[in-house]
Amino acid sequence: MMTDRIKIKEIDSSNTSDVKQYNPSNRIYVRAMYGFYQKLRRYTGWGLIVAFVALPLMQWNGQQAILFDIADQQYHIFNMTLFPQDLTLLAWVFIIAAFALFFITTYLGRVWCGYTCPQTVWTFIFIWFEERCEGSANKRKRLDQMSWSFNKIWRKTAKHIGWITFSLLTGLAFSSYFVPVRELYLDFFTFNTGFATTTSVLFFTVITYINAGWMRSIVCLHMCPYARFQSAMFDKNTYIVGYDAKRGETRGPRSRKDSPEELGLGDCVDCDLCVQVCPTGIDIRNGLQYECINCGACVDACDYTMDKMGYPRGLISYTTEEKLAGKKTKVLRPKIIGYGALLLIMIAVFFINIANLSSAEMEILRDRNVLYRENSQGLTENTYTLKILNKTIKTQTYDLSFSGLKDAQLLGPNQIIIKPGEVLTQPISIAVDPYGIKENKIYITITLTGASGEVETIEQQTTFFLGL
């Protein structure tokens, strides 16, 4: 509804001498901050990186657990092997991811950006290298302002070595989803990888180094489309990082012993910590801004200051526009319910499609040069070529049969053995005495019996030319 839109807060630009304006050309020296949300973000980020690197290293039934083998057009995901004809599942994955993003954004704002986006995770990892090599934010700033010296050179060199090493690990980890990991690492460091593999590893190494090391917030502010269309999903009940202006204003410095009421001040001491810890360099006190990625760094910084001053926490917090206005937040609302219902339906359809995936596929090609022929026994014979794909990771034995024609004969094998991922081309013939037969439809069937006794049957219809 139009009435649910968040009102735009106008900022008087005529008097901004005391406001630290963000300039994208300036480097942002993010100050380290520790607190509940930063601990949550840090553990989430490290967990995602470990999972990203470790998943291709896992083995499943004697082969790589996750391997997208583009050359052989086989995509192995644990016990499941997908082929190009199964890639409609990929469309469902993208649709589910989109609606999950809509649902989360409507409810919790840009928490995806703040906690799980690869750009954010890798940026904070690179900042971690900066802190270890060059020190805190103020030390890094002073180091950049100093003239070149041995101290500056070795610190900068150590930082960039760390960045490049981690970027190379990222490139190798990404490529290991498409190239067998045991071959990749050994061949790469012994200079035996092919051109395509080497190019992909180096490409992602360079992209990671540039994005996380140099561009950082520029990617979030000027390149990521999500920052631009997120406002379409926000409403007054969306949880955002917000500043309680009623409590905080008028802001100003004071002693811990001073009473803010007597000084005519709010709880904000104007320490600027919320700006110093922000990875995009904004001042959250100016209101909701599209640059905010909801990482919660300013929340932890403000709570730290409030604790030191002896004031209640929550001056900056995860809140909603309704709550800041003194109203009650509505969690369950039509938009949330709609996104949630659609998301559940799509997840259900996705798993139904997975459950209905067959372990084999069959295609029947008939001989179009000779539609039928009469053999030496006086029977009418049709020739077919079966193309059968084994979509499992094991060698399978399939029973071959047919139905639809009375007293017909199968001229070919009754069992076929197919290796994992192999497409077997098997010619067969079916012969029948045509007199007295009116039906010309036949059904060719392959049957697979699993180790635990379950039976899977794949049947296709084709035509039998009687020659009458």
Side-chain angles (χ1 to χ4, degrees):
M1 296 177 61
M2 296 293 290
T3 56
D4 290 336
R5 290 185 175 180
I6 301 173
K7 294 181 180 180
I8 298 175
K9 180 179 179 179
E10 296 184 2
I11 300 176
D12 185 7
S13 59
S14 63
N15 183 21
T16 58
S17 59
D18 60 338
V19 179
K20 295 178 175 59
Q21 295 296 311
Y22 170 68
N23 185 346
S25 64
N26 294 336
R27 182 177 178 185
I28 300 174
Y29 296 88
V30 181
R31 178 170 175 169
M33 179 50 59
Y34 302 94
F36 173 77
Y37 294 110
Q38 297 319 290
K39 185 181 293 185
L40 176 62
R41 178 192 56 74
R42 191 173 297 110
Y43 289 158
T44 300
W46 281 114
L48 290 172
I49 288 174
V50 170
F52 171 71
V53 175
L55 278 175
L57 299 175
M58 294 175 59
Q59 296 293 305
W60 190 269
N61 289 336
Q63 69 173 18
Q64 189 169 320
I66 298 180
L67 178 62
F68 306 118
D69 191 345
I70 297 177
D72 292 334
Q73 297 186 342
Q74 298 179 19
Y75 311 100
H76 305 284
I77 305 174
F78 292 96
N79 202 41
M80 182 170 57
T81 301
L82 302 178
F83 291 83
Q85 53 267 44
D86 299 319
L87 289 186
T88 52
L89 291 172
L90 184 62
W92 282 110
V93 170
F94 287 144
I95 294 172
I96 290 171
F99 273 87
L101 187 63
F102 298 159
F103 176 79
I104 293 296
T105 302
T106 303
Y107 180 42
L108 295 174
R110 290 184 67 181
V111 291
W112 156 261
C113 294
Y115 292 87
T116 56
C117 175
Q119 177 66 23
T120 303
V121 172
W122 261 253
T123 293
F124 277 107
I125 293 298
F126 274 48
I127 293 175
W128 181 85
F129 278 105
E130 281 188 344
E131 293 171 349
R132 295 302 177 274
C133 297
E134 299 179 3
S136 63
N138 289 332
K139 290 181 178 179
R140 298 199 299 272
K141 188 173 184 179
R142 287 197 300 269
L143 186 67
D144 285 346
Q145 295 171 350
M146 292 169 54
S147 58
W148 286 98
S149 62
F150 176 76
N151 179 60
K152 183 173 181 177
I153 291 174
W154 84 259
R155 289 183 181 276
K156 291 288 185 182
T157 302
K159 177 187 73 173
H160 285 283
I161 289 175
W163 283 3
I164 293 172
T165 301
F166 197 81
S167 298
L168 179 60
L169 175 63
T170 301
L172 286 168
F174 184 85
S175 298
S176 65
Y177 283 86
F178 303 91
V179 180
V181 66
R182 292 180 177 178
E183 301 174 11
L184 175 65
Y185 285 88
L186 179 61
D187 289 349
F188 185 82
F189 289 108
T190 56
F191 305 102
N192 290 321
T193 51
F195 175 78
T197 302
T198 303
T199 302
S200 66
V201 172
L202 295 180
F203 173 78
F204 285 102
T205 299
V206 172
I207 290 299
T208 302
Y209 175 74
I210 293 175
N211 282 359
W214 295 98
M215 298 184 70
R216 296 188 181 175
S217 60
I218 295 175
V219 175
C220 300
L221 302 182
H222 305 290
M223 297 174 65
C224 178
Y226 180 50
R228 302 295 178 176
F229 68 74
Q230 57 163 329
S231 59
M233 292 173 276
F234 278 25
D235 57 41
K236 293 183 179 180
N237 293 285
T238 299
Y239 280 90
I240 57 173
V241 173
Y243 166 68
D244 189 350
K246 292 181 180 179
R247 175 185 159 189
E249 301 296 326
T250 302
R251 67 184 81 153
R254 82 294 302 268
S255 167
R256 290 180 60 184
K257 297 179 181 179
D258 294 335
S259 171
E261 291 82 5
E262 294 177 1
L263 297 174
L265 298 174
D267 283 355
C268 179
V269 300
D270 205 18
C271 64
D272 272 349
L273 269 182
C274 56
V275 180
Q276 296 173 29
V277 301
C278 179
T280 58
I282 65 170
D283 190 340
I284 195 64
R285 296 171 295 181
N286 291 336
L288 178 63
Q289 298 152 74
Y290 81 89
E291 298 94 338
C292 177
I293 61 173
N294 270 28
C295 66
C298 57
V299 177
D300 288 329
C302 188
D303 287 346
Y304 170 77
T305 300
M306 294 297 101
D307 290 344
K308 291 189 68 175
M309 296 298 296
Y311 299 163
R313 290 185 168 197
L315 179 60
I316 299 176
S317 63
Y318 282 98
T319 184
T320 64
E321 288 286 314
E322 291 284 52
K323 187 174 181 180
L324 289 175
K327 301 178 182 178
K328 185 178 180 181
T329 299
K330 298 177 182 178
V331 176
L332 293 178
R333 49 196 190 276
K335 190 187 292 187
I336 285 283
I337 296 173
Y339 282 144
L342 287 173
L343 181 60
L344 290 175
I345 291 172
M346 291 173 185
I347 292 174
V349 172
F350 175 73
F351 281 105
I352 288 173
N353 284 339
I354 289 181
N356 290 332
L357 280 177
S358 61
S359 63
E361 287 200 4
M362 178 173 61
E363 182 181 6
I364 303 175
L365 304 174
R366 62 173 302 109
D367 189 347
R368 298 189 180 275
N369 295 321
V370 181
L371 295 181
Y372 69 93
R373 69 184 183 89
E374 185 175 330
N375 63 19
S376 58
Q377 298 175 342
L379 303 178
T380 298
E381 184 177 321
N382 283 198
T383 301
Y384 306 89
T385 299
L386 307 183
K387 287 192 173 182
I388 304 173
L389 168 63
N390 178 6
K391 297 171 62 176
T392 70
I393 59 176
K394 297 179 180 179
T395 299
Q396 302 286 5
T397 300
Y398 298 91
D399 295 320
L400 181 61
S401 60
F402 75 97
S403 60
L405 289 178
K406 185 179 180 181
D407 297 328
Q409 302 175 16
L410 173 64
L411 306 178
N414 293 319
Q415 278 192 341
I416 49 179
I417 299 175
I418 310 178
K419 296 178 180 179
E422 179 186 7
V423 178
L424 178 69
T425 300
Q426 177 63 55
I428 64 169
S429 294
I430 296 177
V432 68
D433 185 350
Y435 297 101
I437 297 179
K438 298 181 180 180
E439 295 292 335
N440 66 341
K441 301 291 185 182
I442 60 172
Y443 302 88
I444 298 177
T445 304
I446 57 172
T447 304
L448 171 65
T449 303
S452 57
E454 71 277 9
V455 177
E456 181 177 357
T457 299
I458 298 174
E459 183 179 81
Q460 283 197 14
Q461 176 185 300
T462 188
T463 303
F464 189 93
F465 284 92
L466 296 170
L468 295 177

